[in-house]
Amino acid sequence: MRIPLNRESTLPLYKQIQGFLQDQIQSGGLAPKSRLPASRELATSLGVGRLTVINAYEELEAQGLIYGMRGNGMFVASPPEMPGEIPVDDAPTWLERQLPPPWVSSSQQLDELIASAARPGLISFAEGGGDSSLFPLGDFRTALRLVLRDQGREALAYGESSGYKPLLATIAQILTAQGIPALPDQVLITSGSQQAVGLVMRLLVRPGDAVLAESPTHMGFIDLCRSLNASLIEVPVDEQGMRVDLVEALLRRHHPRLIYTVPNFQNPTGACLNSQRRRQLLALAESYQVPLVEDDFVGDLRYRGAAQPALKALDRGGAVIYVSTFSKMLIPSLRIGFLVTTRPVLSRLLALKHTSDVATSNLTQRVLEAYITVGRYQACLRRLRHSFGQRRNTMLAALSRYMPPGTRWTTPSGGLFIWLQLPGGLSADAFFPTAGKAGVIYAPGSFFFYDGCPRPLLRLNFARQPPEIIEEGINRLGSALSEYISTGRANR
Ligand SMILES: Cc1ncc(COP(=O)(O)O)c(C=O)c1O
């Protein structure tokens, strides 16, 4: 085969060979299934090193243009078949007959709203997660390599539905050290804490049943209620967390199947349930025999004040199902969360878990376990607390500096979020496009209420951006808001 090579060119020789062969394959000059010359043979005929040809072949293989057959050399791949007709993509009749009109989850809607605002230089305080530049990438790469090297075959099998035993033991140990006594077989690993709460809901809630939760609350929980046709009974939140003084009357009136609470640095308000209310809520759950789902999604991210006891730590009768996750304190794409409950409850949840996804990724659990046991997790938490604590302070100071009079916001002692109230009852949904044009976005408060109605409330994530970007973003937000008010656009 003759391939013209320009040895003076800055384009590496292997790229020239790859480009020539790619053109030949795509123009049909080299027919599908035809055999390419062996790398040694082609290297000799072109007067280049064999590695140069191997690199060119590897690039072509990665492009799907050629394939190797063990011991037989490399062959030209057939082009992918294009469908002759456009496949049917309308809703089939059975779908409309069997199901009510579709609803779109709040999480999807917020993702779409964020995507619609995308523009160069936009500063976003809208998302729910931490800062990806702080993920411990190198440590995870090492842990993954070690697991594949030392436990490769076991790690690639399904694994047990309840979770990888050493990880269950490690989680039980961490919780016990935090005052939440737990045995490894009282822990169930789940694919994120969303699955943990979803399993509990599937176990306990039937269409039309009531469940009780803070208002506003985590939109993933609102979506779960909608998907199960459960009615959400809302309990208002103030700076001290859920208004527990209102709960008893609601329990009597609505007989909810469960109470869902985020006691530490609640999403979206950042409020932390005070210790007296924790005891009162638990006492109510016990006396009315209603299970209490405690979602502790960022409990370890405290920057100020002393830790409050977990509801689970106070629980003597098994009322509390404790749920947590590594999504916010470590890496969201691990999709590893867990729940802690008594063994009889756990065995029922385990049966549901099996029907849901068989098991949470065994490989990922082993990597996480390897990462935690070398002591990296605690170090990572210390780093996050330091960075996020600084960012919280920066955002609070910037809000004081730039927000127009009448704006109010919470002062969280941990977590990820500040909850802000716009002056004069302005709708945060209506103001969103103006803020987006000014180069800053947030999560409108309507996403965190069951009725989804516009409100003068919004959530700011202070953990995701470095301090100088936070300063600039809040400056933009304050200026845009002041202008919005002064030009009267708010009243239109
Ligand atoms: C209250 C609450 N719980 C849990 C989660 C995390 O869910 P997962 O563990 O499924 O990533 C979130 C994420 O936003 C949350 O806000």
Side-chain angles (χ1 to χ4, degrees):
M1 184 180 285
R2 287 230 197 103
I3 300 180
L5 295 178
N6 178 358
R7 288 171 205 273
E8 310 298 313
S9 165
T10 52
L11 193 65
L13 291 173
Y14 84 94
K15 276 276 179 202
Q16 296 185 37
I17 300 172
Q18 178 235 335
F20 178 84
L21 291 174
Q22 180 178 333
D23 288 346
Q24 289 294 306
I25 293 169
Q26 286 173 339
S27 66
L30 277 170
K33 299 202 175 121
S34 57
R35 190 171 183 280
L36 293 176
S39 54
R40 193 183 306 276
E41 188 190 312
L42 185 58
T44 310
S45 78
L46 296 177
V48 299
R50 186 171 166 225
L51 203 57
T52 304
V53 177
I54 290 175
N55 283 341
Y57 281 5
E58 277 180 358
E59 293 258 321
L60 290 163
E61 195 173 16
Q63 290 173 281
L65 293 173
I66 64 172
Y67 61 95
M69 293 228 291
R70 197 181 280 256
N72 267 331
M74 303 303 293
F75 294 81
V76 176
S78 306
E81 295 217 345
M82 297 303 285
E85 295 173 39
I86 297 179
V88 178
D89 201 26
D90 296 333
T93 315
W94 58 259
L95 182 68
E96 273 150 26
R97 214 179 269 165
Q98 292 194 24
L99 294 180
W103 61 278
V104 182
S105 76
S106 301
S107 320
Q108 281 169 284
Q109 287 182 44
L110 181 58
D111 287 348
E112 282 165 19
L113 186 69
I114 292 171
S116 73
R119 55 170 57 206
L122 181 77
I123 297 175
S124 177
F125 300 126
E127 287 89 353
D131 179 355
S132 60
S133 71
L134 300 177
F135 293 163
L137 188 61
D139 287 341
F140 258 77
R141 197 180 301 121
T142 310
L144 176 62
R145 204 168 343 103
L146 290 180
V147 167
L148 286 174
R149 190 192 70 192
D150 301 338
Q151 316 166 29
R153 300 213 174 276
E154 306 93 293
L156 298 181
Y158 275 120
E160 287 188 50
S161 287
S162 57
Y164 175 51
K165 287 226 156 59
L167 182 60
L168 294 172
T170 301
I171 290 172
Q173 214 176 357
I174 293 175
L175 291 175
T176 305
Q178 290 175 350
I180 305 173
L183 298 170
D185 55 0
Q186 294 173 329
V187 181
L188 176 66
I189 303 282
T190 54
S191 300
S193 54
Q194 182 70 14
Q195 186 185 49
V197 181
L199 292 175
V200 176
M201 292 282 278
R202 262 180 76 197
L203 181 69
L204 297 173
V205 178
R206 300 289 162 264
D209 282 348
V211 297
L212 198 139
E214 286 123 1
S215 177
T217 191
H218 171 38
M219 72 181 108
F221 184 71
I222 295 178
D223 285 338
L224 264 175
C225 292
R226 291 196 182 122
S227 73
L228 292 169
N229 279 319
S231 63
L232 179 55
I233 310 302
E234 299 173 285
V235 190
V237 176
D238 63 20
E239 288 262 356
Q240 303 297 314
M242 182 190 275
R243 289 275 311 275
V244 176
D245 55 314
L246 305 175
V247 168
E248 184 160 18
L250 295 171
L251 291 176
R252 283 175 194 264
R253 182 149 12 113
H254 299 283
H255 308 286
R257 302 282 294 174
L258 60 85
I259 301 170
Y260 170 79
T261 180
V262 185
N264 289 322
F265 324 125
Q266 199 240 3
N267 181 3
T269 61
C272 187
L273 193 65
N274 73 25
S275 80
Q276 191 194 7
R277 290 188 190 182
R278 285 175 193 242
R279 288 181 167 78
Q280 286 167 345
L281 185 60
L282 183 61
L284 285 169
E286 277 167 353
S287 81
Y288 284 82
Q289 281 301 299
V290 184
L292 192 50
V293 180
E294 175 178 24
D295 183 344
D296 194 16
F297 80 124
V298 282
D300 286 335
L301 297 178
R302 173 178 280 281
Y303 322 119
R304 286 276 178 290
Q308 301 289 337
L311 291 158
K312 186 72 186 158
L314 305 171
D315 178 27
R316 295 288 164 265
V320 179
I321 302 174
Y322 179 87
V323 170
S324 190
T325 176
F326 290 96
S327 287
K328 311 292 175 180
M329 270 95 72
L330 201 53
I331 301 176
S333 77
L334 293 177
R335 306 308 304 134
I336 296 186
F338 58 91
L339 60 81
V340 183
T341 183
T342 59
R343 277 179 268 198
V345 177
L346 192 136
S347 71
R348 297 195 182 214
L349 291 169
L350 180 58
L352 288 178
K353 159 90 181 157
H354 201 90
T355 66
S356 164
D357 65 355
V358 182
T360 295
S361 163
N362 184 17
L363 173 63
T364 314
Q365 288 184 65
R366 285 170 189 256
V367 176
L368 175 60
E369 165 63 14
Y371 172 81
I372 295 178
T373 44
V374 292
R376 299 277 192 223
Y377 182 51
Q378 292 305 330
C380 172
L381 275 180
R382 275 195 297 276
R383 262 198 321 274
L384 287 189
R385 274 191 215 116
H386 178 74
S387 295
F388 292 175
Q390 266 186 346
R391 293 170 184 203
R392 162 200 176 272
N393 297 345
T394 303
M395 187 173 278
L396 288 171
L399 287 168
S400 303
R401 203 167 310 130
Y402 299 119
M403 283 296 133
T407 316
R408 295 170 55 208
W409 54 88
T410 56
T411 307
S413 44
L416 309 170
F417 308 122
I418 289 173
W419 186 237
L420 183 142
Q421 185 173 358
L422 296 173
L426 297 180
S427 155
D429 297 69
F431 174 55
F432 185 91
T434 305
K437 281 196 195 109
V440 60
I441 56 169
Y442 51 79
S446 54
F447 285 91
F448 307 96
F449 291 89
Y450 192 45
D451 65 10
C453 291
R455 287 177 166 77
L457 295 163
L458 58 93
R459 187 189 75 181
L460 297 169
N461 180 336
F462 58 76
R464 226 177 136 79
Q465 310 284 358
E468 60 285 4
I469 303 288
I470 293 177
E471 177 82 20
E472 170 62 20
I474 298 298
N475 188 352
R476 288 181 193 177
L477 189 67
S479 310
L481 183 57
S482 301
E483 202 196 321
Y484 189 72
I485 295 168
S486 69
T487 56
R489 270 189 282 169
N491 301 324
R492 257 183 244 152

